[in-house]
Structures are given as C-alpha cells and as structure tokens.
Amino acid sequence: MVSRATNLVCDNAVLQGHALYAKYHRALYVISLKDYKHDTYFQSRPEIEGIDIDQFEVDRSIADRDMTMDAMVGVADYSNNRAVNNRMVLLELRMDYDSTKHLRHKKLLGKINHSRAAIGTAVRVDEENVFVFRKDVAEEAKKWMFATSQEYPDAKGWVALSPEELENLLQSQASMPYQAITNMASVDKDLGSKIAAKDFDAVLEIVDYWHCQAEQYKLRYQLKEEQHIKNHLHDTWQKSKAGINKISSSEQVYIDYLEDEYSYLR
C-alpha cells in the first residue's frame, strides 16, 4: 500500500515493462502541463516518469475521456539498499479543484475501474489510487476520502495528497540513506567496555575480527558496508579512549600499535 509505505521510491523501470510505455511515457510534470499550463507542478522532480493514460484513451477515440485516471507512475519499496515490490500507481490530478463539493464517488470509481481495465494486468498495479489536490484543498480532500470510505468500502483504497506530499512520498533511489547489513550495536558496547577496562588483548581481538569482516565486504565491492563497520570501530575507539584517565607506557604501546595497524582508528 502506498499510504503506509515508509521507504517508497520512484521506480521508472517498472513502467518500462508495460506495453504503453514506449508511446505514452512522459515526465510527470509534462503530463500535468496538459491541464495546468501555467503551473510548475512536479518540475522540481523531472526524474519522475508516468504513463499518460488519458492520452492513450484519446488515441483510442474514446468518447468520454473523463472516464480514465490521468497517469500511472512506477513505485517500489526500498529495502536492503535496493528497490523491491515494484508496482504502478494510478494518479488523478485535481489541482484545479477549489473544494471537494464536486467530487462524486460514482464518477471516481468509474475512472478507476475503466483505467484498470484499459491498462490490463501485465504489470502489477497498487491497490490504492492517488488523487492529487492543491495544498490548500488536500486536507479537505483527505477528510472527504475518509468519509466516503465509511459509506463505500470500495473507496478505502483512495488516497488524497498534495503535489508536495506526492513528491516527498516518491523518494529518489539515489537519495536514500545507506541501510547497513551489519548491526554494530553489540560490537560497540563490547569494544567500549574492553577499552574502558584497558583489556587491550581483547580490544585487539575484537578490532582485528571486525577489520577482517570489513575487508571481506571491500573485496566484494560493498564499500559502504566496509565503511560502516570501520566508522563504528573508529568512533567507539575514540570515544572510549578519551574516557581513560591514566595510560601506562605499556598500555600506550598497545594503543600506538592498534592505531598504526588500523590507521582508520585515529
């Protein structure tokens, strides 16, 4: 579901699997310009593509063009540093509405059903349908959608958003923060306690083990995971070392050896 996704990203690749992509794919802001020629909706996110369902219906010479949603965009959930659960989402652009008084359940349902029938099932479509309103109307539209869903169960999958909310929802894959494979929390705790106790034999054993793990990721070109592990070793080392009150000459030899052998600890 789109409305409950926490790591939703734009995924143009899934659109390419649809038969309409070759002829009808456009940047979403280009699709919006057809009805909103003097506005700049989605122009800050030119990488978001869509398939122009409305134009497809025009080319089919369908008499009642009001029966289709405007577009569909590609989305995916972002997990373990990659896009998964790829699918398309139907969009209806209603930025010209000043209120919800002209919204009708039957008309919107007709648009959704006709659009889903027209685009087929070759590429999965999200169960939710998104309606985009101007920012000053979006909150009212959300309330209308909720009230309508209480009366009509088939409206439970209708989501109202502002253009800004849609842009925020469809994050760029390139902008997603790295999701680490290795949970270093217990390592940080164990290493920190050994440093505080000045048990440098144990410290060396821990650092050497995790250094080797980091190097294995490096050999597999998983450089962000390598850096993730080494950053944790560095930060724990520096923080815990700063908490030691007195360091003997023999302990200083250990410290110097560790920082020479694993220079990223410095």
Side-chain angles (χ1 to χ4, degrees), residues 49-185:
E49 291 188 350
I51 291 178
D52 191 338
I53 306 174
D54 190 51
Q55 187 61 50
F56 170 60
E57 287 294 280
V58 171
D59 291 350
R60 291 173 68 197
S61 300
I62 300 296
D64 187 1
R65 288 203 292 134
D66 200 34
M67 291 177 65
T68 59
M69 302 283 274
D70 288 309
M72 53 187 176
V73 297
V75 303
D77 299 320
Y78 199 75
S79 178
N80 295 322
N81 305 298
R82 63 190 184 95
V84 298
N85 194 22
N86 316 69
R87 59 208 186 274
M88 300 184 301
V89 176
L90 287 170
L91 291 182
E92 173 74 0
L93 305 179
R94 290 294 181 99
M95 286 87 77
D96 55 342
Y97 273 43
D98 295 321
S99 72
T100 60
K101 65 181 181 180
H102 295 300
L103 292 177
R104 299 291 182 269
H105 165 262
K106 183 177 180 179
K107 188 174 182 179
L108 296 185
L109 182 61
K111 280 178 168 284
I112 293 167
N113 290 341
H114 187 76
S115 298
R116 289 179 179 269
I119 63 179
T121 58
V123 179
R124 188 165 70 89
V125 182
D126 196 275
E127 60 267 32
E128 292 188 331
N129 309 279
V130 175
F131 298 84
V132 185
F133 297 84
R134 284 198 324 264
K135 186 176 182 180
D136 59 311
V137 182
E139 289 306 314
E140 180 185 345
K142 291 174 186 179
K143 294 175 182 177
W144 184 91
M145 295 287 179
F146 177 77
T148 302
S149 71
Q150 302 306 298
E151 185 176 357
Y152 301 99
D154 51 23
K156 291 187 182 297
W158 298 1
V159 180
L161 297 172
S162 69
E164 295 82 4
E165 287 173 328
L166 180 62
E167 289 183 357
N168 291 336
L169 184 67
L170 299 183
Q171 302 175 75
S172 164
Q173 294 186 41
S175 70
M176 295 298 287
Y178 177 69
Q179 297 174 343
I181 299 169
T182 311
N183 186 341
M184 293 292 289

